[in-house]
Amino acid sequence: MPLPKIPSKPATLLLAKDYPKASGANPTPALAVDAVEPVAAPATTAAAKKAPAKAKAATVKAVPVAKPAVAKAAVAKPAAAKAKPKAAILQAAPLHAPAGEASPTPSKVKAAPAARAKVTPITAEAPHPAKHKPVEVPLKSSTSRHADQTGQTKLFVLDTNVLMHDPSSLFRFEEHDVYLPMMTLEELDNHKKGMTEVARNARQVSRTLDALVSNTDDDAIEKGIPLSKLGNKDAKGRLYFQTRLQSADLPAGLPVGKADNQILAVVRSLEAEQEGRPVVLVSKDINMRIKARALGLPAEDYFNDHVLEDTDLLYSGIVQLPDDFWNKHGKDMESWQENKNGQSATFYRVTGPFVPSMLVNQFIFLEPKNGEAPFYGQVKQINGKTAVLQTLRDFSHNKNNVWGVTARNREQNFALNLLMNPECDFVTLLGQAGTGKTLLALAAGLAQVLETKLYNEIIVTRVTVPVGEDIGFLPGTEEEKMSPWMGAFDDNLEVLNKSDSDGGEWGRAATQDLIRSRIKIKSLNFMRGRTFVNKFLIIDEAQNLTPKQIKTLVTRAGPGTKILCLGNIAQIDTPYLTEGSSGLTYVVDRFKGWAHSGHVTLARGERSRLADHASDVL
């Protein structure tokens, strides 16, 4: 097959089936280069504005917005002296030099919508972030803010729910000290029985405390145990236990026997004994923090498990190029084409100032308003200020349909390029209801299992968290118990089977039986220790998973397995899980930039006009 003519400007979406391996170290493509020649930078008069690069998740440290309790103290000038506690029970840790003033949180810049291009079937609209619930930026107590300004090390009193939420929270407070009331240990003992995640965390905390206390005498417990004893070098503070009864005057109306009130009494007693030492209560219980504030005690939430404080800064996987991109990056640009199995793709090697803000496998687009052909591509390699860009396969055209499904908008086309790429082992799709996450994933799975036979079967799983009241135990086998939770997949299978009208009713019934024989529904409860080889694994409703659960699932992948995580972080049903601490947010942030993973945030709903309007107004 002869090589097509090398284009003199960025081509429209060309067909490409096989992709070169991406490597950050070498800008040269992995496949053989058929032709390389300098191409003049195409002149464009596009007015599309530059989309924001992925803003790095920054801990909220700037004033007036306060950082989380676990963040390192940021002050203008180092303090010269440390606080001197009156009581002999607790001793302040040595004062460490505080870090410098943190830069303000990066501001979010929204991309201006570009005009619809008439030369491509893909809807040319500028991306807009998925609608999220408003996230309240955490504010620190005045005591904690004052300690940050003076450079004092704080004494954090931990509630039981913090330890059960994050077993490693003892080592997340850097140079500050940690105090455990005796009531916290009592509640840990009450929650250690069972097979739940909370019980496992309670047992892990107990084992950690036992390792810290072992080989220490009574004097060491009185003076504080170094938290770095077990090898956690970031934990430079000390761990203190309540070694004697501490009495404090609380309002007469509060029940004395309640555990929360006893912990509040300990905090007030420590404030009296450690005069001048900032004492802060850390609790995940909202009512506990409200009561503490009402009593005049400083209280804060535990934020170390949050990946992002503002979910609008979450990596979207898509960036709009500035209108002068080719003018600034077209000097000495190289272009070549690679062909395999009848499919071709055009590659560009560009150098310029915008390249360092890109990530590997990130999608880029430029849609001029003057009628020129838009450019849709994907970053394959980055080396300093040099990047290799690849054009995409146009899945919006019917001849490139995936099991009868075509892309209806730009983001769906990006998602299908990831789903149909055998070099991409891990794909995350984020979007509101009706954006096509499940339909695209199921269509790509059926095409690669039944047509190309790249995978053996499709495995579907999801967390069984009900929206309302639980209906109780379900009868039957594992798949029969999971079938009520898989209604979304049954609906999408019905849509995919309707497209096959050649075989009639009997043909559709036979096709449906064949499809269902290749789809296995598994429960999350039995995933530990399994290994999936050559499977197409779909994790639905991944926003309801914790980071630990998502790690358990992703590490099940064996050779030749592809994992998809689908979800909408605005619809979290798991108790005590937020948008910032969801497992889906966690993997999107951690996997960005890896050569064999990709992420797309689907922005436009395609279910129906009723569903789209309901998502906007409800």
Side-chain angles (χ1 to χ4, degrees), residues 544-567:
N544 287 323
L545 295 171
T546 64
K548 187 176 181 180
Q549 290 173 327
I550 207 80
K551 178 183 178 181
T552 301
L553 289 176
V554 176
T555 52
R556 301 304 99 208
T561 292
K562 185 171 191 149
I563 295 184
L564 278 66
C565 289
L566 319 176

Side-chain angles (χ1 to χ4, degrees), residues 241-469:
F241 291 94
Q242 182 182 359
T243 56
R244 64 180 180 84
L245 180 63
Q246 293 173 323
S247 59
D249 295 332
L250 290 178
L254 291 178
V256 181
K258 190 173 177 60
D260 289 355
N261 296 336
Q262 294 187 31
I263 295 176
L264 291 175
V266 170
V267 176
R268 172 163 285 188
S269 177
L270 286 174
E271 274 194 334
E273 294 176 357
Q274 304 275 335
E275 187 175 351
R277 178 82 185 274
V279 180
V280 181
L281 172 66
V282 180
S283 174
K284 297 291 293 182
D285 187 353
I286 298 177
N287 292 330
M288 177 85 161
R289 298 199 302 269
I290 293 175
K291 286 201 297 185
R293 295 293 181 91
L295 296 174
L297 302 176
E300 297 175 3
D301 195 0
Y302 177 71
F303 297 106
N304 188 265
D305 60 328
H306 285 205
V307 180
L308 296 175
E309 296 301 337
D310 188 355
T311 51
D312 286 338
L313 299 178
L314 183 63
Y315 174 61
S316 66
I318 306 171
V319 63
Q320 183 178 1
L321 298 177
D323 53 355
D324 58 348
F325 177 80
W326 296 111
N327 295 332
K328 292 184 177 180
H329 299 72
K331 185 179 181 181
D332 299 328
M333 180 177 65
E334 294 177 345
S335 173
W336 67 93
Q337 286 187 345
E338 296 173 0
N339 300 269
K340 190 176 182 181
N341 298 328
Q343 304 294 340
S344 64
T346 303
F347 291 84
Y348 299 95
R349 182 179 288 113
V350 297
T351 303
F354 192 76
V355 172
S357 64
M358 298 179 180
L359 293 172
V360 175
N361 278 353
Q362 188 177 33
F363 291 99
I364 56 176
F365 71 95
L366 179 61
E367 297 171 342
K369 287 185 177 180
N370 56 0
E372 292 187 7
F375 174 73
Y376 300 99
Q378 187 179 18
V379 181
K380 302 307 293 183
Q381 296 172 7
I382 293 180
N383 186 10
K385 290 189 176 182
T386 302
V388 175
L389 312 179
Q390 177 189 355
T391 54
L392 303 178
R393 186 177 180 183
D394 183 11
F395 284 99
S396 64
H397 199 284
N398 192 45
K399 67 179 181 180
N400 295 326
N401 70 84
V402 179
W403 203 262
V405 174
T406 56
R408 293 190 177 184
N409 54 56
R410 178 182 54 238
E411 289 79 15
Q412 287 189 358
N413 186 66
F414 293 160
L416 284 174
N417 273 274
L418 287 177
L419 296 173
M420 300 302 292
N421 182 4
E423 293 295 331
C424 193
D425 300 332
F426 184 74
V427 178
T428 51
L429 298 182
L430 196 65
Q432 62 182 5
T435 50
K437 303 182 297 293
T438 306
L439 182 65
L440 295 177
L442 200 54
L446 292 175
Q448 295 175 89
V449 169
L450 296 176
E451 291 181 355
T452 62
K453 301 188 184 307
L454 188 62
Y455 307 102
N456 293 336
E457 63 182 3
I458 300 174
I459 295 180
V460 182
T461 184
R462 60 171 290 178
V463 59
T464 53
V465 179
V467 177
E469 292 292 334

Side-chain angles (χ1 to χ4, degrees), residues 13-53:
L13 298 175
L14 299 180
L15 303 180
K17 187 175 181 181
D18 299 293
Y19 298 76
K21 278 192 175 183
S23 174
N26 186 7
T28 307
L31 301 180
V33 178
D34 296 324
V36 177
E37 62 173 303
V39 178
T44 60
T45 59
K49 295 183 179 179
K50 176 180 178 182

